Amino acid sequence: MQDGQARSPEHWPKIECLFVLATLAISMLALGIAPLLMPDAYSWVANTTSESAAQGIEDAWLARLGFLLFGWSVLWVTRLAGRRWGLAASLSFIAFGALMTAAAAFAARPTWDPPAPYDQTEDLLHSIAATGIGFAFAAGVFFTAFRRGFDKPPRLFDVMALVATILLPIGLSLFPDHDGLIQRIMFLIAYSWFAREIFQSAGWLPSRSGEAVS
């Protein structure tokens, strides 16, 4: 099959899908283990994943690796599924991957250790990237669901993910003592959504009308 020719999801190499799925899983594992390496003052319920990758923390490399692999995985998934998603969704997820990579490059301040010195510019850049990640994911899911059709029962997962991207950030404002828990739920939803897309691209889930690449 020549480059540029239309492909259906099942035409993507299974080994490639397995590899990116494994990378996504390693990213999730890294972010899951990272809080265990934090000082006692860190709480996975109250403190975010960004704070487990904070400036001046000896073991922050693990969470940063998680961010980096997540961003790289999403860019790869976009290569696999981008034609099925459409241009608007693909651009949104490319932004997601790039911003997740930026979140790994620029570390936040350790808010759970107020006296600790930190670089304000780097903290600001991380905050911008982290905020953009949420908007990019919401936009990507919306454009993908719009292309597939909101009224189709199989798209319930898209709708649930989209609703979560709206409600969970509100929860961050209402329950600041549970920022870490709420953010981790958001990450789990994002991981699950992208994992499903990998399964779809590999042909391990049945393709439906409107999802095949045109």
Side-chain angles (χ1 to χ4, degrees):
M1 180 176 289
Q2 296 179 348
D3 292 339
Q5 186 175 352
R7 303 184 185 208
S8 59
E10 62 269 23
H11 287 152
W12 290 105
K14 302 296 189 294
I15 188 66
E16 186 175 3
C17 291
L18 281 172
F19 191 81
V20 69
L21 188 64
T23 304
L24 198 67
I26 293 171
S27 168
M28 183 170 63
L29 184 63
L31 291 178
I33 294 176
L36 302 178
L37 305 180
M38 295 295 102
D40 292 339
Y42 181 93
S43 167
W44 69 271
V45 174
N47 300 114
T48 64
T49 55
S50 293
E51 292 173 288
S52 65
Q55 301 175 33
I57 305 303
E58 182 178 356
D59 294 313
W61 65 270
L62 185 59
R64 293 177 191 173
L65 177 64
F67 289 146
L68 182 63
L69 291 178
F70 197 3
W72 179 78
S73 297
V74 170
L75 292 175
W76 199 342
V77 176
T78 302
R79 174 182 174 271
L80 294 174
R83 282 175 171 261
R84 193 174 69 247
W85 289 341
L87 179 61
S90 295
L91 291 176
S92 298
F93 289 130
I94 288 172
F96 179 100
L99 289 168
M100 189 65 75
T101 302
F106 304 111
R109 60 172 294 193
T111 57
W112 42 271
D113 186 12
Y118 69 97
D119 186 299
Q120 293 183 350
T121 300
E122 185 174 353
D123 179 64
L124 175 62
L125 290 174
H126 181 90
S127 297
I128 293 172
T131 301
I133 286 168
F135 283 111
F137 180 70
V141 173
F142 172 82
F143 287 127
T144 302
F146 181 81
R147 180 180 175 89
R148 292 168 171 168
F150 284 104
D151 57 331
K152 298 178 181 179
R155 300 281 60 83
L156 179 62
F157 193 71
D158 292 339
V159 174
M160 291 174 61
L162 186 59
V163 170
T165 62
I166 297 172
L167 294 183
L168 289 177
I170 296 175
L172 293 175
S173 300
L174 296 178
F175 307 102
D177 292 337
H178 294 76
D179 281 358
L181 176 61
I182 294 172
Q183 190 195 59
R184 285 173 173 83
I185 294 173
M186 295 169 65
F187 266 75
L188 183 59
I189 291 170
Y191 277 119
S192 300
W193 194 91
F194 286 115
R196 185 188 187 282
E197 293 302 309
I198 296 171
F199 274 84
Q200 187 73 59
S201 293
W204 295 325
L205 292 177
S207 59
R208 295 176 173 87
S209 177
E211 291 191 17
V213 179
S214 58

